[in-house]
Structures are given as structure tokens and as C-alpha cells.
Amino acid sequence: MKWVVNQFTFALIIIATIVFSAFSSSCSDEHSSAAPNNSDPTTFNVLDYGAKGDGHADDTKAFEDAWEAACKIDSSTMVVPSGKVFLIKPISFAGPNCRQNIVFQLDGKIIAPTDPKSWGSGSLKWIEFTKLNKITIKGKGVIDGQGSVWWNNDDDSSVEESTTSPFSVLPSSGKLPSTKPTALRFYGSDGVTVTGITIQNSQQMHLKFDSCTNVQVFDIKISSPGDSPNTDGIHLQESQNVVLHSSTFACGDDCVSIQTGCSNIFIHDLNCGPSHGISIGGLGKDNTKAFVSNITVQNINIQNSLTAVRIKSWQGGSGSCKNVMFSNIQVSDAETPIIIDQYYCDNSKCKNSTSAVAVSAINYVNIKGTYTKEPVRFACSDSVPCSGLTLDNISLEPSKGVKDSAPFCWKASGKLNTKTVPPITCLQQSSNTFKLGIHMLTSKGFNFLRELL
């Protein structure tokens, strides 16, 4: 009898073990299906870190936590999924201790708060990536600065409502700070790629690269109204070896703005407008030194713009802007398609000065289209005149209903390699065409392209 009881007890133990194992397996499977990204330890989805993605809840902390995790892993991917709208306050995705080759996969939409309380006393940037090595932002998503409340704030000291998005944070009262942020900024980083995304309605500049090297930007879209103030598309400063191409820009300021410290910049195949065109400068503000060299801009369509290609500098500055090629530019209804302005001033209180940033070896090739004010304006310094300007195949006609206007030149010398329309007879003829400088631009300045492209 004792043997029978022991056998029965043993059978119960076996049955209980089987049932418990099956239950544990079921629970484990259920838990595994709910656990975030166990199958891929290099992928970090912001939803798994508490992001709501409803356009109203503050998801800043979830983004910070997801980045902190991704930052520790080589070739990791931080995912902002599609079908969601994420409200993010000013945030910095920072190195320098992060691993390399991180991908920020943006397929959803990120929006900025419009409540003044979210901005405190002001910020120079909204979303920032800083001191990183080989960082990529890609996807089909959108970064929306909801900038209309900032633009309107120029004329109105208080903010009442924003109707730019159904997800807007509607401030009850208060004043936005006078410092407007750049929507997306990269600082002190090497090997940066931005592709596929849309940046729209920035508070000020849409995309800025500051002190960056080896940058690629392609297949992106930048969009804000033509009358939105200071909303440059891409702003480059102290950056080298940059390639921008195959993108569409519509904004209230320059499509691309190139500032001091930039060299080896290659811009091609852009659609630009409305805008202020593609600009180098303003250089030398507040009596500073500025250096820009080896810039190529080619295969660009520009429409409904203040200018097409422009170089501008402040009186009192010093330094140089040299070895620049503008080629194959198609212009439609630009106010003044070609400008060099060494007397640039954005207010009425600029002082005259004899010092200026030297402008030389500037080449214009195959620039054609229509203007609404004047075709060409070379306003150069008395003490540091523009030199080495060359023009080939320039044909600029007045837009329909616009009277013919003659080109303007002051203290500008160079060479007309072909006849121009209209004739640019005001250019002081020079035999020095700076062929050497342009040869250096193409043969040496862009060797890095062979590696990037």
C-alpha cells in the first residue's frame, strides 16, 4: 500500500511539472512578444521607452532614454516609428562618448512645442546632434518646427493660438523668447548623412551644420512659406567637405547659406524657390575675418527668388572669398539673379569702412533665365575691389511686363569669355581669369567626393 501511495505521489509530481512547464512556456512566449526588440539588440524604438506619440504628451524623456541606450552600441538604430506624432522639447543627442555609425531612423513626425514655457529664456537650437562620429538621419518622416507662432511673434508681443497643426500646444498666454531656434543642428561632428526626411516650418533656420566635416545631404525636402523670416534651408558654418544634392527647398530666406570657415562645398541638382537663392555670406560682420574657398554650385533650378547666386559681405570685415564656381543655373523670376555686394547691410545703421573681405576668382557659367529688377549687380569695395570674375554664356531676360535693365558694376574686374545678354559692358576687363584657382577646386578640393559618393 505504501508503494502505491508513493507511485501516485510521483505521478502527481510528474503531471504538475508538465503543467508548470507548459504554463511557463506560454507565459514566456507571451512576454517575449511584448518585450521590445529582443530579436535585435541594436534597435531602440522610442515607443519602448515610454513615448506616447499622440502629439500632445511630452515625449522628450523617452527620446533621451532611447538615445542613451543606442549611444552605447556600435551601428545601432534609434527608431521613430511611422503613424505617430511626437511632441519634443529642446533636446541634444550628444557624444563624444557615443559609438560610431548610429542611425536615427525617422519615419514618424516630430513637432515642436508652441508654448512659451517650453522654451524658457530662449534656445539657439531645437533638435541637436553634437560631437558624433558617423551619424545618419534617414527615413520618410517629418520634423515640423510649427514656426508660425514665432514668425507672427515678430509683430505681436503675445502669443494666443497656433493653428499650424491639430497637435499644436496652444499657449494660454505669454511671450516667446526673442532668440529663435534652428530646427535641426549638427555641431562638431564628422561623417554626417541626412537623407529622405522633410523639415518644415522651422522657427528660424531649418538645417544647420556648424564645425562639421564630411557631410552628405540628399533627397530631402525643406518647406516653409516664402514670407517666413530668416528661415534658411541649409546653413553651413566652419564646415568642410560637404555635398548637398538632389533636394527641394522652399523657404523665406536662402536655400543654402555658406558662412565663414567653409571650404570644399559641392552643391548640385537642387530645386530652389521661393527663397533668397543660394548665398555666400554675409561675411565679415562686426569687423571679423572670414574665409571661404572652393565652392561649386551647379545644376540648380531657382524660381520666385530674391536672387539666384549671391556673395555678400559687410564693410569693415577682412579675409577672402575665392575659387567659386556657379554653373548651369536656370532662373525664373529672380529679382536680381547675379549679385556680389560688398556693402551688405540688413539695417539702416551700418557704418562705412575701407576694410572688406576680398572677393576673387568667381566664375559664372551657363546662367540663364528671367529677372524682375536687374540682371547683374557687382557692387564691390573701393579699397578691396572684386577681381578675377569670369562670365560664360550668361543670358538673362526681363520677366514678362518688366522693362529692360542694365547690369551694374562698381570696382569689379574680370573677363567675358562669351557675349552676354544683356551686354555686361561695365565690367573692367582683366586678362587674369584665375584658371589655376578653379583647377585646384576641381582636381584637389573635391578628391573627397570619390570616397563619399
Side-chain angles (χ1 to χ4, degrees), residues 151-169:
W151 314 328
N152 297 336
N153 201 45
D154 284 343
D155 303 317
D156 187 354
S157 61
S158 64
V159 180
E160 294 180 357
E161 286 192 355
S162 168
T163 57
T164 56
S165 164
F167 301 105
S168 297
V169 178

Side-chain angles (χ1 to χ4, degrees), residues 24-85:
S24 297
S25 177
S26 174
C27 290
S28 177
D29 290 344
E30 183 179 349
H31 177 72
S32 178
S33 65
N37 297 313
N38 282 346
S39 59
D40 187 355
T42 66
T43 299
F44 303 88
N45 191 316
V46 295
L47 295 178
D48 298 327
Y49 291 83
K52 301 298 183 184
D54 61 5
H56 299 288
D58 180 2
D59 288 325
T60 309
K61 182 65 164 58
F63 274 62
E64 291 172 341
D65 291 346
W67 175 260
E68 183 179 358
C71 173
K72 300 174 182 177
I73 307 296
D74 275 315
S75 303
S76 62
T77 300
M78 177 173 165
V79 176
V80 181
S82 62
K84 298 287 185 179
V85 179

